[in-house]
mmCIF file of all heavy atoms in Angstrom:
data_model
loop_
_atom_site.group_PDB
_atom_site.id
_atom_site.type_symbol
_atom_site.label_atom_id
_atom_site.label_comp_id
_atom_site.label_asym_id
_atom_site.label_seq_id
_atom_site.Cartn_x
_atom_site.Cartn_y
_atom_site.Cartn_z
ATOM 1 N N ARG B 8 2.699 73.824 -0.500
ATOM 2 C CA ARG B 8 2.662 74.008 0.990
ATOM 3 C C ARG B 8 2.507 72.629 1.672
ATOM 4 O O ARG B 8 1.760 71.850 1.153
ATOM 5 C CB ARG B 8 1.470 74.785 1.382
ATOM 6 C CG ARG B 8 1.583 76.299 1.147
ATOM 7 C CD ARG B 8 0.290 76.956 1.461
ATOM 8 N NE ARG B 8 -0.203 76.565 2.755
ATOM 9 C CZ ARG B 8 -0.398 77.440 3.690
ATOM 10 N NH1 ARG B 8 -0.176 78.632 3.565
ATOM 11 N NH2 ARG B 8 -0.791 76.975 4.948
ATOM 12 N N ARG B 9 3.332 72.437 2.611
ATOM 13 C CA ARG B 9 3.293 71.147 3.265
ATOM 14 C C ARG B 9 2.736 71.309 4.657
ATOM 15 O O ARG B 9 3.266 72.148 5.439
ATOM 16 C CB ARG B 9 4.650 70.587 3.285
ATOM 17 C CG ARG B 9 5.021 70.048 1.976
ATOM 18 C CD ARG B 9 6.164 69.176 1.937
ATOM 19 N NE ARG B 9 6.172 68.748 0.540
ATOM 20 C CZ ARG B 9 7.242 68.770 -0.223
ATOM 21 N NH1 ARG B 9 8.399 69.078 0.241
ATOM 22 N NH2 ARG B 9 7.109 68.417 -1.493
ATOM 23 N N ASP B 10 1.842 70.457 5.040
ATOM 24 C CA ASP B 10 1.328 70.483 6.341
ATOM 25 C C ASP B 10 0.895 71.825 6.818
ATOM 26 O O ASP B 10 0.852 72.151 8.024
ATOM 27 C CB ASP B 10 2.358 69.815 7.317
ATOM 28 C CG ASP B 10 2.155 68.350 7.399
ATOM 29 O OD1 ASP B 10 0.916 67.931 7.371
ATOM 30 O OD2 ASP B 10 3.132 67.610 7.518
ATOM 31 N N GLY B 11 0.652 72.685 5.938
ATOM 32 C CA GLY B 11 0.193 74.027 6.362
ATOM 33 C C GLY B 11 -1.248 74.053 6.187
ATOM 34 O O GLY B 11 -1.818 74.868 5.361
ATOM 35 N N ALA B 12 -2.010 73.338 6.924
ATOM 36 C CA ALA B 12 -3.498 73.239 6.742
ATOM 37 C C ALA B 12 -3.978 74.621 6.962
ATOM 38 O O ALA B 12 -3.701 75.333 7.925
ATOM 39 C CB ALA B 12 -3.990 72.300 7.839
ATOM 40 N N MET B 13 -4.786 75.117 6.060
ATOM 41 C CA MET B 13 -5.392 76.406 6.230
ATOM 42 C C MET B 13 -6.675 76.215 7.101
ATOM 43 O O MET B 13 -7.250 75.068 7.102
ATOM 44 C CB MET B 13 -5.863 77.006 4.942
ATOM 45 C CG MET B 13 -4.605 77.308 4.175
ATOM 46 S SD MET B 13 -5.065 77.888 2.522
ATOM 47 C CE MET B 13 -3.467 78.009 1.734
ATOM 48 N N ALA B 14 -7.051 77.186 7.786
ATOM 49 C CA ALA B 14 -8.274 77.146 8.610
ATOM 50 C C ALA B 14 -9.362 76.591 7.666
ATOM 51 O O ALA B 14 -9.576 77.128 6.617
ATOM 52 C CB ALA B 14 -8.525 78.448 9.126
ATOM 53 N N ALA B 15 -10.100 75.640 8.117
ATOM 54 C CA ALA B 15 -11.212 75.126 7.336
ATOM 55 C C ALA B 15 -12.212 76.219 7.050
ATOM 56 O O ALA B 15 -12.419 77.097 7.912
ATOM 57 C CB ALA B 15 -11.949 73.991 8.147
ATOM 58 N N GLU B 16 -12.673 76.218 5.799
ATOM 59 C CA GLU B 16 -13.527 77.318 5.412
ATOM 60 C C GLU B 16 -14.787 77.375 6.220
ATOM 61 O O GLU B 16 -15.416 76.293 6.437
ATOM 62 C CB GLU B 16 -13.816 76.985 3.979
ATOM 63 C CG GLU B 16 -13.831 78.182 3.106
ATOM 64 C CD GLU B 16 -13.733 77.754 1.613
ATOM 65 O OE1 GLU B 16 -14.800 77.279 1.196
ATOM 66 O OE2 GLU B 16 -12.729 77.844 0.977
ATOM 67 N N GLN B 17 -15.131 78.488 6.574
ATOM 68 C CA GLN B 17 -16.405 78.615 7.350
ATOM 69 C C GLN B 17 -17.496 78.628 6.281
ATOM 70 O O GLN B 17 -17.497 79.309 5.307
ATOM 71 C CB GLN B 17 -16.476 79.976 8.084
ATOM 72 C CG GLN B 17 -15.304 80.206 9.001
ATOM 73 C CD GLN B 17 -15.376 79.244 10.156
ATOM 74 O OE1 GLN B 17 -16.421 78.966 10.785
ATOM 75 N NE2 GLN B 17 -14.178 78.609 10.523
ATOM 76 N N SER B 18 -18.509 77.726 6.539
ATOM 77 C CA SER B 18 -19.661 77.829 5.631
ATOM 78 C C SER B 18 -20.659 78.843 6.340
ATOM 79 O O SER B 18 -21.163 78.627 7.356
ATOM 80 C CB SER B 18 -20.403 76.525 5.567
ATOM 81 O OG SER B 18 -20.542 75.942 6.811
ATOM 82 N N GLY B 19 -20.651 79.987 5.705
ATOM 83 C CA GLY B 19 -21.324 81.118 6.276
ATOM 84 C C GLY B 19 -22.841 80.994 6.411
ATOM 85 O O GLY B 19 -23.454 80.397 5.519
ATOM 86 N N THR B 20 -23.275 81.484 7.446
ATOM 87 C CA THR B 20 -24.799 81.455 7.663
ATOM 88 C C THR B 20 -25.266 82.801 7.196
ATOM 89 O O THR B 20 -24.628 83.811 7.463
ATOM 90 C CB THR B 20 -25.155 81.244 9.159
ATOM 91 O OG1 THR B 20 -23.955 80.814 9.816
ATOM 92 C CG2 THR B 20 -26.253 80.240 9.275
ATOM 93 N N THR B 21 -26.332 82.800 6.449
ATOM 94 C CA THR B 21 -26.769 83.894 5.865
ATOM 95 C C THR B 21 -27.996 84.479 6.592
ATOM 96 O O THR B 21 -28.750 83.863 7.211
ATOM 97 C CB THR B 21 -27.053 83.800 4.368
ATOM 98 O OG1 THR B 21 -27.528 85.062 3.812
ATOM 99 C CG2 THR B 21 -28.111 82.735 4.101
ATOM 100 N N THR B 22 -28.123 85.818 6.503
ATOM 101 C CA THR B 22 -29.372 86.369 7.075
ATOM 102 C C THR B 22 -30.381 86.714 6.029
ATOM 103 O O THR B 22 -31.435 87.297 6.275
ATOM 104 C CB THR B 22 -28.970 87.763 7.767
ATOM 105 O OG1 THR B 22 -28.196 88.561 6.815
ATOM 106 C CG2 THR B 22 -28.161 87.455 9.016
ATOM 107 N N MET B 23 -30.067 86.249 4.781
ATOM 108 C CA MET B 23 -30.973 86.571 3.655
ATOM 109 C C MET B 23 -32.176 85.624 3.704
ATOM 110 O O MET B 23 -32.552 85.130 2.659
ATOM 111 C CB MET B 23 -30.246 86.354 2.310
ATOM 112 C CG MET B 23 -29.142 87.377 2.055
ATOM 113 S SD MET B 23 -29.750 89.027 1.810
ATOM 114 C CE MET B 23 -30.659 88.754 0.225
ATOM 115 N N THR B 24 -32.716 85.358 4.847
ATOM 116 C CA THR B 24 -33.891 84.398 4.912
ATOM 117 C C THR B 24 -35.007 84.890 3.929
ATOM 118 O O THR B 24 -35.639 84.031 3.418
ATOM 119 C CB THR B 24 -34.412 84.361 6.365
ATOM 120 O OG1 THR B 24 -34.419 85.603 6.891
ATOM 121 C CG2 THR B 24 -33.618 83.362 7.131
ATOM 122 N N SER B 25 -35.166 86.124 3.778
ATOM 123 C CA SER B 25 -36.227 86.623 2.956
ATOM 124 C C SER B 25 -36.081 86.114 1.518
ATOM 125 O O SER B 25 -37.097 85.753 0.867
ATOM 126 C CB SER B 25 -36.297 88.192 2.956
ATOM 127 O OG SER B 25 -35.061 88.671 2.484
ATOM 128 N N ALA B 26 -34.857 85.998 1.101
ATOM 129 C CA ALA B 26 -34.614 85.588 -0.276
ATOM 130 C C ALA B 26 -34.957 84.084 -0.460
ATOM 131 O O ALA B 26 -35.389 83.690 -1.589
ATOM 132 C CB ALA B 26 -33.152 85.771 -0.697
ATOM 133 N N ILE B 27 -34.837 83.383 0.508
ATOM 134 C CA ILE B 27 -35.079 81.917 0.386
ATOM 135 C C ILE B 27 -36.454 81.472 0.931
ATOM 136 O O ILE B 27 -36.928 80.414 0.696
ATOM 137 C CB ILE B 27 -33.984 81.009 1.035
ATOM 138 C CG1 ILE B 27 -33.938 81.235 2.567
ATOM 139 C CG2 ILE B 27 -32.590 81.342 0.445
ATOM 140 C CD1 ILE B 27 -33.174 80.189 3.322
ATOM 141 N N GLN B 28 -37.095 82.401 1.621
ATOM 142 C CA GLN B 28 -38.452 82.040 2.216
ATOM 143 C C GLN B 28 -39.412 81.467 1.183
ATOM 144 O O GLN B 28 -40.062 80.446 1.533
ATOM 145 C CB GLN B 28 -38.963 83.288 2.976
ATOM 146 C CG GLN B 28 -40.069 82.961 3.972
ATOM 147 C CD GLN B 28 -39.541 81.999 5.023
ATOM 148 O OE1 GLN B 28 -38.462 82.111 5.622
ATOM 149 N NE2 GLN B 28 -40.199 80.893 5.270
ATOM 150 N N PRO B 29 -39.561 82.138 0.039
ATOM 151 C CA PRO B 29 -40.525 81.548 -0.942
ATOM 152 C C PRO B 29 -40.264 80.106 -1.272
ATOM 153 O O PRO B 29 -41.273 79.345 -1.461
ATOM 154 C CB PRO B 29 -40.430 82.441 -2.108
ATOM 155 C CG PRO B 29 -39.773 83.708 -1.637
ATOM 156 C CD PRO B 29 -38.923 83.308 -0.423
ATOM 157 N N TYR B 30 -38.999 79.700 -1.364
ATOM 158 C CA TYR B 30 -38.602 78.383 -1.718
ATOM 159 C C TYR B 30 -38.990 77.447 -0.480
ATOM 160 O O TYR B 30 -39.591 76.367 -0.701
ATOM 161 C CB TYR B 30 -37.125 78.219 -2.024
ATOM 162 C CG TYR B 30 -36.715 79.050 -3.170
ATOM 163 C CD1 TYR B 30 -36.089 80.313 -3.014
ATOM 164 C CD2 TYR B 30 -37.013 78.707 -4.545
ATOM 165 C CE1 TYR B 30 -35.708 81.144 -4.100
ATOM 166 C CE2 TYR B 30 -36.631 79.549 -5.579
ATOM 167 C CZ TYR B 30 -36.017 80.799 -5.410
ATOM 168 O OH TYR B 30 -35.666 81.546 -6.390
ATOM 169 N N LEU B 31 -38.723 77.904 0.680
ATOM 170 C CA LEU B 31 -39.043 77.092 1.846
ATOM 171 C C LEU B 31 -40.541 76.893 1.933
ATOM 172 O O LEU B 31 -41.031 75.826 2.214
ATOM 173 C CB LEU B 31 -38.512 77.800 3.163
ATOM 174 C CG LEU B 31 -37.028 78.055 3.179
ATOM 175 C CD1 LEU B 31 -36.600 78.680 4.444
ATOM 176 C CD2 LEU B 31 -36.216 76.761 2.933
#
Side-chain angles (χ1 to χ4, degrees):
Chain B
R8 283 174 51 120
R9 283 195 177 133
D10 270 324
M13 291 176 189
E16 221 165 70
Q17 304 294 314
S18 48
T20 343
T21 178
T22 50
M23 294 290 296
T24 39
S25 57
I27 65 168
Q28 201 55 50
Y30 301 101
L31 302 181

